[in-house]
Amino acid sequence: MSASYPSPARRTALIPALLAAVALLVGVALIDGGGFTVIRYIVSIFALIVAVFAWQAKHWWWLVPLVPIAILWNPVFPIELGLPDVWLGLQYGAALVFIAAGILIKAVTAEN
């Protein structure tokens, strides 16, 4: 007799979201430096990855904060906000969005 579980397997967005949050917190120290471009790449890519998780989980409302994060941190077409204090606040706000999204987004995977 095989064991059956009441819920199907789930993939969470926790790992990419936590990696993005760590990159954002490291980026706080690099806002004025050249290393911030690397942080922008990391955050933008992980925002799109977590957005795909949200889409697969049918949590479309998470696209509202994740797509603007991907656009603002996009290093290919950078948006310069001018003041480091604005970026500082956005870094912490985006980290909170990633942590919340990582905890709450769970995509159900197909069973074999």
Side-chain angles (χ1 to χ4, degrees), residues 32-105:
D32 290 332
F36 190 62
T37 302
V38 175
I39 299 299
R40 290 178 83 151
Y41 272 108
I42 293 169
V43 172
S44 183
I45 290 168
F46 278 119
L48 294 174
I49 290 170
V50 175
V52 168
F53 274 96
W55 184 267
Q56 290 174 344
K58 295 181 177 46
H59 293 177
W60 300 295
W61 53 89
W62 280 106
L63 298 178
V64 173
L66 290 171
V67 170
I69 289 172
I71 292 170
L72 279 174
W73 273 265
N74 179 10
V76 177
F77 300 107
I79 297 173
E80 296 300 329
L81 299 177
L83 300 173
D85 292 338
V86 174
W87 273 115
L88 183 66
L90 289 174
Q91 293 281 109
Y92 289 121
L96 290 174
V97 168
F98 274 114
I99 291 169
I103 292 170
L104 298 174
I105 296 173

